[in-house]
Amino acid sequence: MRTLTWTFGILRSELLTTFRRWRTLALLGVLAAVPILVGIAVKIETSDGSSTGRGGGGGAGPAFISQVTNNGLFLVFTALAVTLPFFLPMAIGVVAGDAIAGEANAGTLRYLLTAPAGRTRLLLAKFATVMSFCLAATLVVALSALTVGALLFPLGDLTTISGTRIDLADGLLRALLIALVVAASLTGVAALGLFVSTLTSSGIAAMATTVGLLITVQILDQIPQLHALQPYFFPHYWLSFADLMREPVYWDDLQKNLGLQALYAAVFGSAAWARFTTKDVMA
């Protein structure tokens, strides 16, 4: 019972410490600003009555962007599609990369390990904190987009990708589900960043390495010659959340995405545990 109390105490402490840092607040602020900028850009572009994403230069943006002017709820889907390839995983990489290495660099890791919870529970608390940030970051983007969408564009029934109509309540429910799927899609990055964080005592090096690996994998996922390997890259199915806006919902790629993230979490989580439980933090 005492060990469980220590575990929840460490988790609460980690959550408070992480979400009170200026860096975390700055990352959340940047993420909140992206939907605002997208919404304003769409509003300005369509102020003359034209339709975004169609005609001359259309098709280059997210699939949902042409629907934003008709229904502000589509700004939620657009904002998540815009932030998921880079902004969201970069923010996760920064927080995850600093989780262990930052403590070691600050000299506080040895103090944390004096708690009865031990290394395994501390690592689990760190991972749970990173995943909490994944959820918080995704919800910040979604809520910011919903607010801006409601202020700048009409809300109401919306048309799915399949062409069927659903009411606003169903649309909001799907938006929430999409946000949860996007948060879960970042599990692989979180586990990778946590593993990298156990390899060094420099928080900056861990953050830079995690973000660098993220960019490298994203580039490799776009090279046609690597098509046989791409389904195993953690970002490959990220945009499958769009299938939640079909009627009926297409589950194949969604399941592949979640399964792949679980695999990455298991592999890199185990590697992080193996490294952290044998690491000499007294040096």
Side-chain angles (χ1 to χ4, degrees), residues 207-221:
M207 290 185 283
T209 301
T210 302
V211 174
L213 288 172
L214 167 67
I215 295 174
T216 300
V217 174
Q218 294 256 42
I219 293 174
L220 294 177
D221 197 42

Side-chain angles (χ1 to χ4, degrees), residues 7-213:
T7 301
F8 281 110
I10 290 177
L11 178 58
R12 183 182 65 176
S13 176
E14 288 297 324
L15 288 171
L16 291 175
T17 300
T18 298
F19 283 95
R20 284 177 176 174
R21 285 176 177 155
W22 67 265
R23 180 178 60 232
T24 303
L25 297 176
L27 289 171
L28 292 176
V30 170
L31 291 172
V34 174
I36 298 175
L37 296 176
V38 173
I40 293 175
V42 172
K43 186 67 175 180
I44 293 175
E45 184 178 347
T46 59
S47 60
D48 60 353
S50 61
S51 179
T52 302
R54 294 178 184 177
F64 296 118
I65 200 168
S66 63
Q67 301 293 332
V68 171
T69 53
N70 298 323
N71 195 318
L73 187 56
F74 276 101
L75 185 59
V76 176
F77 313 134
T78 300
L80 290 173
V82 168
T83 55
L84 183 54
F86 181 71
F87 291 102
L88 276 171
M90 183 194 69
I92 304 309
V94 169
V95 173
D98 191 56
I100 300 296
E103 299 283 5
N105 185 59
T108 56
L109 186 58
R110 284 176 292 179
Y111 170 75
L112 288 175
L113 292 178
T114 61
R119 299 193 180 200
T120 298
R121 290 185 174 86
L122 176 60
L123 188 66
L124 288 174
K126 291 286 187 181
F127 183 69
T129 300
V130 176
M131 289 307 303
S132 297
F133 179 78
C134 290
L135 181 60
T138 305
L139 291 178
V140 163
V141 173
L143 290 174
S144 175
L146 181 60
T147 302
V148 175
L151 291 175
L152 298 182
F153 308 102
L155 290 178
D157 295 349
L158 62 158
T159 304
T160 67
I161 296 176
S162 304
T164 58
R165 298 281 292 180
I166 59 176
D167 59 30
L168 179 59
D170 193 1
L172 289 171
L173 180 61
R174 295 197 188 206
L176 175 60
L177 185 57
I178 284 174
L180 294 177
V181 169
V182 170
S185 298
L186 298 168
T187 304
V189 176
L192 174 62
L194 193 63
F195 169 62
V196 172
S197 188
T198 64
L199 300 178
T200 177
S201 296
S202 171
I204 295 178
M207 290 185 283
T209 301
T210 302
V211 174
L213 288 172

